[in-house]
Amino acid sequence: MRRISLILSAFLLFVLPAASSPASAEDAIGVAMDDFSYTDTSAEPANQTAAHERRLSAFMAALRRDISADGRYRPVPSAQDGAAFKVIGGIQKTSTLVQWAKVAVIDVGAKKLVMDKLYTFRGDNDESWERAEIFVSREVMAALATPAPVALAVFDFELEDTTAASAGASAASDASYLAEVTGSVREALGQSGRYRIVDAGGDAVKARALRDCGGCEAAIAQKLGADQSLIGVVRRVSRTEYTLGFQVRDARTGAVLSRGDSGLRMGADYSWKRGAVRLVSDKLIGSQ
């Protein structure tokens, strides 16, 4: 199994960073698939190399045929030829009756594994290989049908302070708490699996209040390569009272896709982070 894992690691390190963007939405989704590797460590006395090559060839032909038969997908030669997904794997025979198959499906654009599983199947004849292919085919098709994560530009949360004691000595601590809010929200969204967080930093963005720019964050997010934008605001009502809000827009059209508001919350500044994560989890992640 170590050899198969090394093959997967090498692909992720050296191929994905140079891969091209996924196929357009109008076309069938491109799927690239190399022949799986095969290793026999069973130490059986008979040389079965020819039989294994034949069965592996039939296995790969059937797997490609099954995926191509679904009109949503089209085979492409490699990840550099418009593939949205890459399927890689390897099979290892460890004894007379036991074989293992390691299969991974990679979202090329997101550079992310959407499936990475290890299977075992018994037998080393045509029938056992056919059964294994049918099962693996179903698993791969299920992984391909998993929605790709949305590229989301999460901009730094902003503070709207309506208290009489705004600014001044508290500015540094406010900035620190806001940074914690932004970081925690990005982490929660990224860990949900629904979103791929796009870097939305930069002095040009930080120099303006996005909450008052009439939706300009959508255009900025589009330039950053994101599908959607998210801005968030902490509104300080008093030193121990605050509200939270966020808004998500479509980066291409600017249309508002989702918004949430916490209502009045009680707590000191250090509770902003907890409140923001709860709001986004309930109103954005949970609602989907």
Side-chain angles (χ1 to χ4, degrees):
M1 294 307 100
R2 182 173 179 272
R3 179 174 179 177
I4 296 173
S5 298
L6 288 174
I7 293 171
L8 173 58
S9 299
F11 180 83
L12 287 170
L13 284 171
F14 300 112
V15 177
L16 285 182
S20 59
S21 300
S24 64
E26 291 76 18
D27 298 326
I29 299 171
V31 179
M33 186 187 310
D34 294 335
D35 286 344
F36 288 6
S37 63
Y38 189 84
T39 306
D40 187 349
T41 57
S42 64
E44 291 181 306
N47 187 336
Q48 301 184 71
T49 301
H52 290 152
E53 290 178 350
R54 175 178 60 81
R55 287 171 183 148
L56 180 61
S57 177
F59 180 98
M60 297 307 305
L63 188 56
R64 292 188 176 99
R65 184 173 60 249
D66 289 345
I67 293 174
S68 299
D70 189 315
R72 295 173 295 175
Y73 309 109
R74 61 184 176 88
V76 295
S78 70
Q80 283 76 31
D81 296 307
F85 293 95
K86 176 78 174 181
V87 181
I88 60 175
I91 299 174
Q92 181 175 354
K93 182 175 181 179
T94 57
S95 69
T96 301
L97 293 176
V98 178
Q99 301 199 75
W100 295 84
K102 176 78 167 178
V103 184
V105 178
I106 303 156
D107 183 323
V108 175
K111 301 180 178 66
K112 178 180 179 181
L113 283 167
V114 295
M115 186 186 97
D116 182 17
K117 294 185 177 181
L118 182 64
Y119 308 100
T120 182
F121 62 99
R122 295 181 64 81
D124 186 12
N125 54 37
D126 292 349
E127 183 181 0
S128 63
W129 277 74
E130 289 172 5
R131 289 198 305 268
E133 186 281 325
I134 292 171
F135 184 83
V136 169
S137 174
R138 290 173 181 169
E139 293 280 287
V140 170
M141 294 290 285
L144 292 174
T146 302
V150 175
L152 178 65
V154 180
F155 295 98
D156 291 344
F157 270 62
E158 299 174 356
L159 175 63
E160 185 177 313
D161 194 342
T162 61
T163 64
S166 61
S170 65
S173 61
D174 288 344
S176 177
Y177 289 130
L178 285 173
E180 289 183 357
V181 170
T182 303
S184 297
V185 167
R186 286 173 177 162
E187 183 179 6
L189 290 168
Q191 289 180 348
S192 73
R194 302 177 187 275
Y195 299 99
R196 174 172 60 87
I197 305 304
V198 175
D199 183 7
D203 294 337
V205 174
K206 296 177 181 178
R208 60 201 305 183
L210 296 182
R211 65 183 184 276
D212 297 324
C213 74
C216 69
E217 72 274 9
I220 298 173
Q222 186 178 33
K223 291 179 180 179
L224 294 172
D227 302 316
Q228 299 176 10
S229 64
L230 183 149
I231 59 172
V233 181
V234 179
R235 304 180 188 90
R236 177 186 279 145
V237 180
S238 72
R239 302 310 297 184
T240 58
E241 297 174 316
Y242 66 96
T243 66
L244 291 160
F246 74 85
Q247 186 166 263
V248 176
R249 291 182 183 270
D250 183 289
R252 184 176 61 85
T253 66
V256 175
L257 302 177
S258 179
R259 56 163 55 98
D261 198 288
S262 67
L264 189 64
R265 288 179 181 264
M266 307 293 289
D269 300 348
Y270 55 76
S271 64
W272 293 353
K273 176 178 69 174
R274 183 172 64 250
V277 171
R278 176 68 179 274
L279 176 64
V280 170
S281 298
D282 290 348
K283 301 295 185 181
L284 186 56
I285 299 174
S287 66
Q288 298 176 356

